[in-house]
Amino acid sequence: MESILSGVYFILRTGAPWRDLPKEFGPWGSVYTRFRRWSQVKLWTKVHELLVPDAVGQLRSIDCSHIKVHQDASNAAGGAAVQAIGKTKGGSNTKLAAVVDGLGRAVGLNLVAGNQHDLRAIAALVSTLARCWVIADRGFDSKSFRQDLAAAGATTCIPPRKSSRIQYHFSETLYKHRHVIENFFARIKRFRRVGTRYEKLAETFLGFVTFATIIDWLHFEV
């Protein structure tokens, strides 16, 4: 089991093709099959959920980040949209939405096609923002989104768009803390299998993203 987990970590860190997995980790097919099964049963998500209750404070920063889809991930089963792949000006992309705590550790993750709006990407994570202070950039300045957060008991720190009819007040001092989510994206994208998407299936790519997120949590615990 330890060698299989180490093999998955090797692929996550280096971005190497599965067939290039060093022999000391075992047959590449066996390691891949185990990883695929773990992703199917959402093992990585279940482990991550065990960490979330230890989130620090009531500050939550939200944002989305584009991840370039490699040509090896094309022709996904069921079609690109089903596997959270969309076309943008930069080509095929997947969008990763995240919610992080006061230290920048992810407490919520969601994948959507890269051409989806940030608000749609973050909608599935509103439940993680209940009774919190929510920090986000102007891209999340939406009346309906603010109402959804208010219904969840959350307080917003979102600068209004210059063209917005209602110029909502926000704390510039608090807003400066938003850098923690940018730092989160920068850290997990150092893992080559996250920085570029090589996986055809959304569930296996989310498995790698969540595995990287778990490792990021452990970084703060050491």
Side-chain angles (χ1 to χ4, degrees):
M1 182 66 72
E2 182 178 347
S3 63
I4 291 177
L5 191 59
S6 297
V8 174
Y9 177 78
F10 178 87
I11 297 296
L12 169 68
R13 187 68 181 179
T14 66
W18 283 102
R19 291 178 183 272
D20 292 344
L21 183 70
K23 294 182 178 179
E24 54 262 37
F25 297 115
W28 74 267
S30 298
V31 179
Y32 169 74
T33 299
R34 188 63 63 87
F35 170 73
R36 174 76 184 280
R37 289 174 179 172
W38 285 342
S39 298
Q40 286 178 322
V41 300
K42 302 185 182 303
L43 175 65
W44 308 108
T45 300
K46 293 174 183 177
V47 173
H48 180 232
E49 289 174 347
L50 294 176
L51 300 173
V52 170
D54 291 331
V56 172
Q58 295 299 311
L59 285 183
R60 297 290 182 268
S61 297
I62 64 175
D63 206 351
C64 299
S65 182
H66 284 282
I67 297 172
K68 182 72 174 179
V69 176
H70 192 270
Q71 61 184 12
D72 290 346
S74 60
N75 300 320
V82 173
Q83 301 301 341
I85 298 175
K87 289 285 188 178
T88 65
K89 292 182 179 180
S92 296
N93 279 271
T94 287
K95 180 173 287 186
L96 172 63
V99 176
V100 302
D101 70 359
L103 294 179
R105 302 177 300 182
V107 298
L109 301 168
N110 187 40
L111 290 181
V112 298
N115 56 350
Q116 296 291 321
H117 194 279
D118 288 2
L119 287 171
R120 180 169 295 183
I122 208 71
L125 303 177
V126 169
S127 61
T128 66
L129 302 172
R131 298 177 297 282
C132 293
W133 280 83
V134 180
I135 306 173
D137 62 26
R138 286 184 172 86
F140 294 90
D141 178 26
S142 162
K143 181 179 179 180
S144 60
F145 183 60
R146 290 178 185 273
Q147 290 174 339
D148 289 342
L149 291 178
T155 303
T156 59
C157 180
I158 303 175
R161 298 175 187 270
K162 293 181 179 180
S163 60
S164 178
R165 293 179 60 186
I166 303 176
Q167 292 296 301
Y168 294 95
H169 172 75
F170 74 101
S171 169
E172 294 185 8
T173 300
L174 194 61
Y175 184 72
K176 292 179 181 179
H177 192 72
R178 199 185 71 83
H179 71 88
V180 295
I181 193 164
E182 302 293 350
N183 295 345
F184 163 73
F185 285 128
R187 289 194 304 272
I188 66 167
K189 284 187 175 182
R190 292 194 183 107
F191 294 95
R192 287 294 297 119
R193 207 76 181 197
V194 174
T196 302
R197 175 174 171 174
Y198 297 95
E199 304 300 310
K200 291 179 180 290
L201 303 179
E203 65 182 14
T204 51
F205 181 60
L206 182 59
F208 274 128
V209 172
T210 310
F211 187 18
T213 298
I214 293 169
I215 295 171
D216 189 57
W217 266 82
L218 298 179
H219 164 77
F220 283 90
E221 298 298 327
V222 174

